Amino acid sequence: MRQKIVAGNWKMNNDKEETKTLIEGLKKEIENLPLDNTRVIVAPSFVNLESAVNQSEDSNIEVVAQNMHQTKNGAYTGEVSADMLKSIGIKSVIIGHSERRSIFNENDEILAEKVDAALANGLEVIFCFGEKLEERKTDNHLLEVGSQLKNSILHIAAEDWKNVVLAYEPVWAIGTGETASPEQAQEMHAFIRNVVAKNFTQEIADNVSILYGGSVKPTNAEEIFSKPDVDGGLIGGASLKATDFSAIIKAI
Ligand code: PGA
């Protein structure tokens, strides 16, 4: 049975103390929740990862990285490798977030390399993708998402799917306050699952968790999560407050 996941992408927010306070707050909020088959994930910035891992050790919070470099090591100033992440206890990494694509010019090819490097190193990949507003308006959203999947992740081996989580994040909904309607999310998630089924097997497709991301809030989470192919969310802004994030976790 596929897992439900609520993941908080903290982006470039929270210094050391703020990270500590947020994790402490979140721990308190969720310590008594029955989280059967539900994973709670947070992605702090690189500098706060190790302390966050240590702080979360005795809790039901998993700490993941927001990015990594595709190369093993070497002259890549400012970058972080899979080995480095593993050495501090990180087990999963977000790859392909729309901000990495648009601000840091990570294209499909680079993202395919990152996916391969992460999986080869035994890291779980939380792979993000989604269409831009123009593609949605011109009814090309399914085509665009299909192409992003094909170019960066559909080449992986069947056995690697157990280490993949998909996160559909329409670019027009990220940080804009505008959310895909539950129907739009369901249409896309069913399409994505079908793409995986067609390229691999129905069993693999049925077992992969597909998260929705883009302006998920306590007020809209329950409706979005109620859709059969929506297995949880990747939350930006609303994951920065323990009360809001835990309200979203309670909605799953
Ligand atoms: P948002 O961000 O919830 O602030 O829209 C989502 C994301 O970027 O993952």
Side-chain angles (χ1 to χ4, degrees), residues 9 11 97-99 169 173-177 213-216 234-238:
N9 175 11
K11 310 192 179 183
H97 190 276
S98 81
E99 285 144 23
E169 298 203 301
I174 297 178
T176 58
S215 299
V216 177
L234 181 55
I235 326 295

Side-chain angles (χ1 to χ4, degrees), residues 123-247:
L123 289 172
E124 176 188 60
V125 170
I126 302 170
F127 183 70
C128 306
F129 52 92
E131 83 283 358
K132 299 195 186 74
L133 184 58
E134 197 50 36
E135 290 148 355
R136 168 68 60 173
K137 275 186 176 162
T138 53
D139 212 18
N140 282 312
H141 48 293
L142 299 180
L143 210 64
E144 173 61 21
V145 161
S147 138
Q148 288 180 21
L149 291 172
K150 178 172 183 288
N151 293 341
S152 301
I153 200 147
L154 292 183
H155 63 279
I156 67 172
E159 64 263 28
D160 279 332
W161 277 96
K162 60 182 183 307
N163 281 325
V164 172
V165 171
L166 297 176
Y168 166 59
E169 298 203 301
V171 179
W172 49 270
I174 297 178
T176 58
E178 196 174 334
T179 328
S181 67
E183 292 69 32
Q184 284 173 323
Q186 171 55 28
E187 179 203 32
M188 183 59 89
H189 284 225
F191 167 76
I192 295 161
R193 205 175 298 287
N194 194 35
V195 167
V196 177
K198 275 197 180 136
N199 284 273
F200 293 89
T201 64
Q202 189 62 47
E203 193 188 353
I204 289 175
D206 286 341
N207 283 322
V208 68
S209 300
I210 308 177
L211 314 184
Y212 168 79
S215 299
V216 177
K217 300 181 276 276
T219 46
N220 61 23
E222 197 170 337
E223 220 189 339
I224 296 174
F225 294 165
S226 71
K227 293 295 173 191
D229 286 295
V230 178
D231 305 309
L234 181 55
I235 326 295
S239 70
L240 295 171
K241 267 179 74 181
T243 45
D244 284 354
F245 192 42
S246 61

